[in-house]
Amino acid sequence: MTHAHDPSLNYLNCRKGLRSWLGTLDHKRIGVMYMWSIIASMILGGILAMLIRAELWAPNNGDPAQAVLSQDTYNQFFTLHGAIMIFLVIIPSIPAALGNFVLPMMLGAKDVAFPRINRLSYHLYLIGAALLVVSILTGGLDTGWTFYAPYSTTTETSVVVAVFGAFVLGFSSIFTGLNFIVTIHKMRPPGMGWFKMPLFLWALYATSIIQILATPVLGLALMLIAVERIMGVGIFNPELGGDPVLFQHLFWFYSHPAVYVMILPAMGVLSECFATFSRKHIFGYRFIAYSSIAIAIFSFIVWGHHMFVSGQSQLASVIFSALTFSVAIPSAIKVFNWVATMYKGSVSLDTPMLYALSVIWLFGIGGLTGLFLATLSTDIHLHDTYFVVAHFHFVMVGSALFSFLAGVHYWWPKMFGVMYREWPGRIACAVSFVGFNLTFIPQFLAGTHGMPRRYWDYHPMYEPYNKVSTIGAVILGLGLVWALVNLLRSFGSGRQAPANPWGAATLEWMTPSPAPPHNFDFAPAVGDPYDMDLVRYDESIDGYVPVRPHPDDPHIPLVEPAEQEDEQ
Amino acid sequence: MSQAKLAHHFESVEQQFDTAKLGMWIFLLTEIMFFSVLFVAYTVYRASHADAFQYASQFLDTNLGAANTLLLLLSSFTAAWAVRCAQLGQKRGLMLNLLVTVVCALGFMGIKYHEYSHKYHEGLLWGGARHSIFKADPAQVLPEMKHGHEGGGESVWESHHVETMDPALKKQVGIFFGIYFCLTGLHGIHVLVGIGVMLWLLWRASRDHFGPDNFTAVDLGALYWHLVDLIWIFLFPLLYLIS
Ligand code: HEM
Ligand SMILES: [Cu+2]
């Protein structure tokens, strides 16, 4: 606080040493640590994915000698790949890493409501990740990321440690959500009504609601798996009169909403990108805001679409199917509004925008194929085939992960104060996009021809699809590594980032890059988050500056006092 | 009595207090969702096996359950009173009320321990437990669980003819006890946490940490404690009073 006015100090260099990071209460540092941890987990999960694809390069003809991995190893690898990518990468990616970093800044606040709980959340993430690693080292895990009973209560692998890890990760996620809800409710600056919030915050708010309401259910369901294994309580064990389908209900009651924990914040990032890079006011602000809430609400009542073949009642299936279709409406509303935002905008194809545009295609396919799966008669055929695998990769990797990358590229200058090089960034995005489609489009085809998921071997008729898919995976991997290398190189050779490189009007850009320790040296005034006329391009810094700077701080636009008064 | 410390990221003490309170309410919401898993399991099995639940519930001691209910109600009252004392700056009243709350909670756990050990000795456990008398195969029930106790009384195995009980019924009785132990166990863990919180508040109260401008921690601790009580208020009739 004493050094708040020294302009050379920012949140990165104000304190040094590992302990100043691990023990920090600063939301920006916590967000950045989350980001690196997530990237590290992604590399681990990615290596597993490559091994899975290597195994599927050619059929084994039932002969273990021809296989790259043994059956057991294969089962463990796809389980760990899924568990790591879902619990350690995609779920925390946007909320915990990017959300933590920008949410308080977008509110003009100094931190989240509960900085200690925020730090606890990150520490729980580390503990949960460590437990998953311990489970790998103590017998592995071969249940699939879904932990279905009764297999999960009987297999020899180290399920107890793994479910405990997932439980701890759940609390990490709950605490992030709790913090965000309270921060958004209680720490909005004067003048920022709900409908003056950036859409990313609406998205995070909706996400947080899901996190606090759905995650505890998974937590306890997984604890019951552990209790079942340790003490044989029998709630999910048919031999003792229990019901394994009950576990599926509990699991999907969390895990369907969880897919919206992945996609809602991703949609929030996209709303920011489309507005900023079209240099136009976002189209249909209220529709986008309300559709986030609508998706969050719907997400709680459709879980049964994962269980059409589980033996649940037909009536339940019909209702779940109909409700599932209705989720498509708010999802489509968002896409239409993004496209309308670009219409007649001055669109610039910077790297974040390229990722955002990719997502329109990828989410389009991912979402629409969801409708085939939501249709009862087609799902009977498609369930547990590669069609489902392709569907959820389109939405989780193609949409959520690509949006995360959009966000990382978008906020990178604010995080580290340096610009990465545009062209390599764009090309890496294009390579990933091509690789992604090559990997997963063939899986739709293999799936419609009946190739089941989660097997170590396949009928030779599926070989062409798998060949293309493995080649695509290599290209995708290269694209992602390239993007990472390009980002990392900016530390050495990137040019100094201006406060507002893209010309956005949300508050996080109204402070120097990287941000000062307490975000703002001067409390910013609140304008319309999408009023692009507040800022203008300044060639001398290759960035944007307020059209009418505030006399006390050149980064902050002067908002009409009259305008401010009506809001208060 | 000390003033509340204002953290650097808040504008005012009121904002800080409101924020903490909202945070607690949301946390309680997650707690409710947490317990709801077991309530759902309870509902599902009770709906499909009403008779087994009714039968099994007779093994629970209603008097002990009622005593525990009273203890928790009293402790909720003193917890609320403690908040009032903190607001009025009455240190002695605050400490006394916190103390009574802790004593009630300990009494609750004492009774719970007594109930648990009684169940364990009678083998009133879920089917998968080593000492259970409700195992699917009667031959696997441990011999010491079958026969009378040193004190002379008949074992439940004998008095309720568990050997010849309808196997389907027996399984569901086992499920009842599985749910009973999970629910009351999870609740018991929350009571233990509550005792820890109350002791911490007591320690802080003794060091004059609270006062009319600074009672957030007491308020939040009491809120948590009310939820723990409330859950028991549901558990008691659902488990003990089925008939
Ligand atoms: C437009 C909306 C969507 C619809 C209608 C939809 C529909 C479905 C249906 C019906 C299934 C079950 C298929 C089966 O197992 O037979 C499914 C699976 C899945 N979906 Fe979606 N989905 C949608 C969006 C998403 C999104 C946005 C995500 C994630 C970000 C997602 C992730 C998943 C996952 C992970 C699975 C498979 C889980 C597993 O069995 O391992 N879906 N989807
Ligand atoms: Cu779903």
Side-chain angles (χ1 to χ4, degrees):
Chain A
M1 272 164 274
T2 46
H3 42 242
H5 291 288
D6 177 349
S8 67
L9 274 179
N10 58 51
Y11 82 101
L12 293 170
N13 66 11
C14 67
R15 267 184 288 145
K16 293 218 178 335
L18 187 65
R19 288 183 59 190
S20 79
W21 279 88
L22 283 177
T24 188
L25 293 174
D26 180 352
H27 69 99
K28 299 183 288 304
R29 287 187 162 210
I30 293 174
V32 166
M33 286 191 293
Y34 255 119
M35 188 177 87
W36 293 122
S37 317
I38 285 163
I39 290 175
S41 309
M42 201 189 327
I43 292 172
L44 181 60
I47 292 172
L48 291 167
M50 287 305 164
L51 292 168
I52 294 170
R53 283 312 325 162
E55 167 58 45
L56 296 176
W57 170 252
N60 310 324
N61 304 310
D63 173 11
Q66 297 181 24
V68 179
L69 307 171
S70 74
Q71 287 105 314
D72 283 341
T73 316
Y74 181 81
N75 289 350
Q76 298 205 0
F77 280 8
F78 79 67
T79 300
L80 288 167
H81 163 73
I84 288 173
M85 288 302 200
I86 287 179
F87 295 119
L88 293 179
V89 179
I90 309 269
I91 287 184
S93 64
I94 298 181
L98 301 177
N100 246 322
F101 187 84
V102 284
L103 179 135
M105 286 206 256
M106 281 185 157
L107 293 175
K110 295 195 182 102
D111 211 316
V112 291
F114 308 114
R116 282 166 207 279
I117 293 182
N118 203 18
R119 177 175 64 186
L120 175 65
S121 155
Y122 178 65
H123 290 168
L124 289 177
Y125 174 88
L126 291 182
I127 295 171
L131 284 171
L132 283 189
V133 173
V134 169
S135 83
I136 300 178
L137 300 178
T138 56
L141 183 69
D142 65 351
T143 58
W145 78 282
T146 46
F147 295 108
Y148 270 15
Y151 185 69
S152 61
T153 55
T154 47
T155 164
E156 300 286 299
T157 53
S158 124
V159 175
V160 173
V161 181
V163 295
F164 199 65
F167 179 82
V168 170
L169 288 169
F171 271 87
S172 157
S173 172
I174 289 173
F175 288 146
T176 302
L178 184 151
N179 232 326
F180 286 2
I181 293 185
V182 177
T183 309
I184 290 175
H185 268 281
K186 296 292 176 192
M187 298 179 74
R188 274 176 290 123
M192 188 185 282
W194 284 89
F195 292 100
K196 284 212 166 174
M197 283 198 317
L199 287 165
F200 185 48
L201 298 189
W202 274 98
L204 286 177
Y205 187 81
T207 307
S208 305
I209 292 179
I210 301 177
Q211 283 176 304
I212 59 156
L213 293 181
T215 318
V217 174
L218 176 76
L220 202 67
L222 292 181
M223 279 301 105
L224 287 178
I225 293 276
V227 169
E228 184 94 45
R229 284 182 71 92
I230 299 169
M231 303 196 284
V233 166
I235 294 181
F236 303 134
N237 182 350
E239 271 176 44
L240 296 175
D243 182 0
V245 177
L246 179 63
F247 177 77
Q248 294 188 22
H249 279 291
L250 295 172
F251 181 83
W252 290 115
F253 180 82
Y254 165 74
S255 292
H256 180 79
V259 309
Y260 289 97
V261 170
M262 310 175 199
I263 202 71
L264 274 171
M267 293 165 156
V269 172
L270 297 188
S271 298
E272 301 304 326
C273 289
F274 283 117
T276 301
F277 293 101
S278 307
R279 301 225 39 72
K280 223 184 109 197
H281 196 286
I282 189 92
F283 185 85
Y285 176 97
R286 280 183 187 243
F287 279 99
I288 298 183
Y290 282 130
S291 64
S292 289
I293 304 296
I295 290 177
I297 294 170
F298 272 119
S299 74
F300 282 100
I301 48 175
V302 298
W303 78 88
H305 65 215
H306 295 274
M307 300 170 58
F308 289 151
V309 299
S310 69
Q312 74 184 0
S313 84
Q314 280 191 12
L315 178 66
S317 288
V318 170
I319 293 172
F320 278 126
S321 170
L323 288 170
T324 302
F325 287 130
S326 52
V327 181
I329 299 168
S331 312
I333 286 179
K334 285 189 191 276
V335 176
F336 293 141
N337 281 302
W338 296 328
V339 174
T341 301
M342 287 187 287
Y343 178 68
K344 290 197 173 164
S346 49
V347 176
S348 50
L349 296 178
D350 293 300
T351 311
M353 185 63 163
L354 277 190
Y355 281 105
L357 287 170
S358 314
V359 174
I360 293 211
W361 163 259
L362 298 171
F363 182 67
I365 295 188
L368 289 174
T369 50
L371 298 180
F372 296 90
L373 296 172
T375 310
L376 294 176
S377 52
T378 43
D379 185 61
I380 305 290
H381 298 282
L382 297 173
H383 178 70
D384 266 350
T385 69
Y386 264 80
F387 191 92
V388 175
V389 175
H391 157 70
F392 68 68
H393 281 87
F394 263 82
V395 275
M396 301 209 295
V397 183
S399 315
L401 187 74
F402 274 53
S403 301
F404 174 64
L405 292 172
V408 170
H409 283 85
Y410 183 62
W411 282 299
W412 186 268
K414 187 57 65 187
M415 284 182 170
F416 301 111
V418 285
M419 302 299 288
Y420 50 84
R421 294 198 313 168
E422 268 306 324
W423 270 109
R426 290 179 189 154
I427 296 172
C429 171
V431 171
S432 301
F433 180 76
V434 171
F436 181 86
N437 283 293
L438 273 183
T439 313
F440 293 104
I441 288 178
Q443 296 188 5
F444 279 127
L445 302 175
T448 51
H449 288 92
M451 178 172 164
R453 66 192 277 205
R454 291 183 172 170
Y455 283 84
W456 144 100
D457 197 1
Y458 53 81
H459 190 279
M461 71 178 270
Y462 300 119
E463 190 169 355
Y465 305 118
N466 282 290
K467 285 264 177 323
V468 178
S469 187
T470 298
I471 294 169
V474 173
I475 297 175
L476 172 60
L478 287 177
L480 294 175
V481 170
W482 194 348
L484 181 62
V485 169
N486 183 44
L487 287 172
L488 292 179
R489 283 189 52 187
S490 70
F491 288 129
S493 57
R495 78 178 165 88
Q496 164 83 38
N500 190 353
W502 317 120
T506 43
L507 295 181
E508 79 272 28
W509 303 106
M510 309 300 166
T511 190
S513 307
H518 291 303
N519 297 347
F520 298 95
D521 291 334
F522 189 83
V526 178
D528 182 329
Y530 300 106
D531 181 0
M532 302 298 166
D533 296 333
L534 287 175
V535 293
R536 69 175 168 79
Y537 185 66
D538 178 348
E539 220 161 328
S540 66
I541 55 164
D542 192 8
Y544 289 74
V545 291
V547 176
R548 285 184 305 142
H550 196 285
D552 293 335
D553 186 330
H555 300 295
I556 296 176
L558 187 65
V559 173
E560 294 285 327
E563 214 175 289
Q564 241 188 323
E565 260 161 39
D566 337 307
E567 289 300 325
Q568 280 166 349
Chain B
M1 300 283 168
S2 70
Q3 290 283 315
K5 253 207 328 235
L6 184 64
H8 80 282
H9 58 296
F10 291 114
E11 301 290 329
S12 66
V13 180
E14 291 75 51
Q15 186 195 23
Q16 176 165 304
F17 175 74
D18 287 352
T19 305
K21 196 132 181 182
L22 180 63
M24 192 63 190
W25 277 108
I26 292 178
F27 178 69
L28 297 185
L29 221 57
T30 67
E31 287 278 15
I32 291 172
M33 294 307 289
F34 205 57
F35 274 93
S36 70
V37 169
L38 284 165
F39 282 113
V40 165
Y42 173 92
T43 311
V44 167
Y45 289 111
R46 179 160 172 197
S48 53
H49 301 279
D51 48 339
F53 270 50
Q54 205 162 15
Y55 178 83
S57 150
Q58 65 168 304
F59 295 112
L60 302 185
D61 188 328
T62 314
N63 291 332
L64 293 181
N68 261 348
T69 309
L70 289 179
L71 274 176
L72 285 193
L73 281 176
L74 176 62
S75 73
S76 235
F77 175 68
T78 54
W81 195 350
V83 178
R84 191 69 199 134
C85 288
Q87 287 170 339
L88 297 175
Q90 298 167 344
K91 178 176 167 186
R92 277 195 44 177
L94 169 62
M95 292 188 56
L96 197 66
N97 275 303
L98 288 174
L99 196 66
V100 176
T101 311
V102 171
V103 170
C104 289
L106 287 172
F108 176 92
M109 289 311 288
I111 292 184
K112 207 74 235 161
Y113 174 77
H114 173 76
E115 284 188 83
Y116 272 20
S117 60
H118 173 257
K119 301 266 155 343
Y120 179 81
H121 287 301
E122 296 287 356
L124 295 168
L125 300 169
W126 56 93
R130 210 170 101 80
H131 290 78
S132 176
I133 53 172
F134 300 115
K135 289 185 194 249
D137 175 5
Q140 288 192 348
V141 174
L142 300 178
E144 68 261 34
M145 302 314 300
K146 295 185 178 173
H147 303 300
H149 301 293
E150 293 141 39
E154 254 186 321
S155 69
V156 174
W157 170 267
E158 289 161 340
S159 61
H160 286 78
H161 312 290
V162 179
E163 178 136 35
T164 52
M165 200 187 225
D166 168 22
L169 178 69
K170 191 156 64 178
K171 273 187 187 174
Q172 291 307 318
V173 173
I175 290 286
F176 174 86
F177 280 107
I179 291 177
Y180 165 83
F181 278 100
C182 286
L183 261 174
T184 54
L186 184 65
H187 179 260
I189 292 172
H190 280 78
V191 174
L192 288 178
V193 172
I195 293 175
V197 170
M198 293 299 153
L199 288 174
W200 173 71
L201 291 174
L202 202 55
W203 177 78
R204 285 191 61 184
S206 73
R207 313 192 124 214
D208 288 329
H209 282 193
F210 304 119
D213 299 318
N214 185 14
F215 54 89
T216 314
V218 186
D219 203 9
L220 301 191
L223 265 180
Y224 170 81
W225 188 249
H226 294 322
L227 182 83
V228 174
D229 291 352
L230 189 67
I231 288 173
W232 178 260
I233 303 292
F234 281 92
L235 287 187
F236 174 57
L238 287 177
L239 293 169
Y240 291 74
L241 302 181
I242 315 179
S243 56

